[in-house]
Amino acid sequence: MKPSTSSPVPFVKENLSETVHTGVEGTYPEYEAHEEIRQLKARIQSLEQQLLLQRLQNEQLLRLNQFNQQLETLEDIPVEAQLAANFLHQSLHPSLCMVLGFSPASQRLQLLAVAGADAGLIPPGFQHSITRGLIGRAIRARKTLLKHHEIEEPPFKLIPQLYPSQLVCPLLDNGNLEGVLFLASREPEHFSPQDIPFVEALGMRLTSAWSYQRYRNTLADLVQSAALLTSTLNLDQLMEKIAEIARQSTYAHAGVIAVRYEESWRWAYSGSVGGVALSQSLEEIVNHVYQTGIAIRVRDIRRDPRTSHLDLRDPTLRSMLVSPILRENQPVGVILTLGKKQGVNFNEQDEFLLDLIGTHAAVAIDRSFLDEELRSSLMVTQMLHELSMRIAESDDLSAAAQVIALTAYRMFQASACGMVLYGLKGVQEISLQYPSDDTEISHPMEIIQQAMQSRQICTQRVNEWVTLMAFPLQTHRHCYGALWLELMENSSRNNHYPLDEVRLLINQASIALERSILLAETRRQAHELAQAFDQLERSYDQTLLALMNSLDARDHETERHVLRVRQIALSIAQEMGVPHAEQKALERGALLHDIGKIGISDTILHKPDTLNEHEWRLMREHPLIGARIIREIPFLSNAIPVIEYHHERWDGSGYPKGLKGEEIPLLARIFSVADVLDALLSDRPYRKRINVEEALHYIQSQSGKQFDPAVVNALMRCLQKNTLRLLDT
């Protein structure tokens, strides 16, 4: 707004003689006195203008500060938008003030909030083009535009009122359009260039709040989604879930994952892409990221030399983000997302999210590999067991040969199979084939003789789709014949032939040693799988600890506090004989006990003074908020009692449900003592720590009131037995 020029001018004496100096030759001429007065008046008016502008700027700064404070208490985008519209109206007094949000799906601006005398002219659900009028020019210019002169048409067809003065501020986040602030006035030259910094600062703060809220929601969704990966063992299903999580977390049109398996790539897709042609075109950049371990961001696939060869005709798939999947710094695969929905390009935040997804994916994929190997090993073990049992029951060499050939036929999923056995004198004794009713099948004698002479597995490529394999049937003294298989592409497990297992089947079938060998292998695989489970649990615990550290930073807590409380709680639980599984639930509950504070405003969390009644009511909601967040995650469901009830008191005066005595879960009662004890021994914004003796005296004084007496007694026994040591921190 332009400052008024009608402010009173300080009194100037009308008697000019009083302002005239006396010199050697008498008084100055009268016209020089008038000129001096005129200059003085002009200077006074200029100073008044400057003071008025300074006052307006100070008022705007105060309003911005008030806006920031109120914005921190809100968590809903439309409510935040209405707050911005109200502040702009109170500060600049436009006839109309609108906050419009950008919808990537419709590529239009949608009304979020409106204020001003003409607010009633705007219908609910109002939309506007991103290309038309002053709004379109401001979006294209990526800067705030101010318009003063008369216009021939109203800014919107639905509004008959003409607005000669308009101000449009595009809302941008990392170059991506988030929305528009539109201000209009019936008064000509109502807005001034001095208003632009205020409007832009308010818009920037509003955009930051939206971005932070979306990022926080994305992290919460990611924690839940990543936990669900633990329930998926099938590799193909797991990869599809990972691709979908990556696409949703980065707001992309498509997600792709490539996993290296048996010297080849396995692919999964989410969104509007897929197929052999795409995987082949992406293989070059996938190999590059897999080998270097460095993520790549591509702004425009068609113009970047690394991706210009890709045949992606969908105009929504212009940008790309490629991130490696690393397991202990070793590559496992690659995740790709294509086409940023909100904006032009993927940013560092998206890269961080994809890296976090890759960390979880690497553990889950490794676990899936182990599970697949274990299943394969168990399948082979079962086949070999049946083989040895049937051979032992058979006295007929032909029947034993049929059992061996049929087992190999099923194991390889072959299109045809046969066996030739010769006696010691070189006479053919056994000749059989599968399917037995196919009269066109004949033994490939060339590769059979080659396998028998070389005593090695031989392979022969018949054509693009058919491969022959021959296995010599031998002991350390003699070669008795060969088993051959006809294999079609994709007829076996991803074209990976279980040569080792079949070699064991053939060479050891006659003496039935396969069962003991494979059982030992099974035990090893089971041990590795158990280790993978343990490592997976540790990985998730570390991830949870890192997440809680980032959340605790809002409440001025530290990793040391979480670790100390966890150690105290576990010592008490062990003293009370709590089973190991429940101790694990207690440990995770200790890490996540305050996750519900993600739903509490920073204004309340950081308030150094005593909270008022309304603030306390909001703060007491955080156990329920935390329980709702964790309830849908099976991996963490056992920790819910600690999260939901750790503020309950033994005498029933706690919250959120006012449980009393043994109505409170035992794990929550144990954690309550540990949490309060460490809090007393730690500095807090509102008080200083106390020493160990004073802290223990307080804990004992609250036995039977705030705390379970049995838990307090267990704590004191831990200290007496020296299984727990407390330090004055």
Side-chain angles (χ1 to χ4, degrees), residues 353-372:
L353 289 173
L354 217 56
D355 181 68
L356 186 59
I357 294 171
T359 301
H360 289 280
V363 177
I365 290 171
D366 193 41
R367 178 172 170 266
S368 179
F369 282 164
L370 286 174
D371 179 77
E372 192 166 299

Side-chain angles (χ1 to χ4, degrees), residues 279-382:
S279 61
Q280 290 176 347
S281 62
L282 290 174
E283 192 162 336
E284 181 179 345
I285 194 168
V286 165
N287 280 324
H288 175 75
V289 174
Y290 180 83
Q291 293 168 4
T292 62
I294 300 175
I296 291 178
R297 274 185 282 163
V298 178
R299 183 178 183 86
D300 192 331
I301 292 175
R302 293 172 296 182
R303 297 181 179 180
D304 194 296
R306 297 170 296 183
T307 55
S308 57
H309 64 282
L310 298 179
D311 186 18
L312 297 176
R313 300 178 182 179
D314 189 340
T316 63
L317 305 179
R318 295 189 61 180
S319 55
M320 174 188 289
L321 175 60
V322 191
S323 180
I325 302 174
L326 301 177
R327 173 75 165 145
E328 296 180 353
N329 294 324
Q330 295 299 317
V332 175
V334 173
I335 304 177
L336 304 88
T337 51
L338 300 163
K340 182 74 172 177
K341 287 183 178 179
Q342 296 182 343
V344 178
N345 192 24
F346 295 100
N347 53 36
E348 292 182 358
Q349 192 177 89
D350 297 319
E351 188 174 330
F352 168 77
L353 289 173
L354 217 56
D355 181 68
L356 186 59
I357 294 171
T359 301
H360 289 280
V363 177
I365 290 171
D366 193 41
R367 178 172 170 266
S368 179
F369 282 164
L370 286 174
D371 179 77
E372 192 166 299
E373 290 178 10
L374 179 60
R375 290 177 184 274
S376 175
S377 179
L378 288 173
M379 181 191 70
V380 173
T381 301
Q382 183 178 1

Side-chain angles (χ1 to χ4, degrees), residues 618-645:
L618 293 177
M619 177 64 80
R620 288 172 178 168
E621 291 292 319
H622 83 267
L624 297 176
I625 295 173
R628 285 197 297 270
I629 293 174
I630 300 302
R631 186 161 283 116
E632 300 302 323
I633 306 177
F635 179 73
L636 302 174
S637 59
N638 292 339
I640 290 178
V642 178
I643 298 169
E644 188 168 4
Y645 302 117

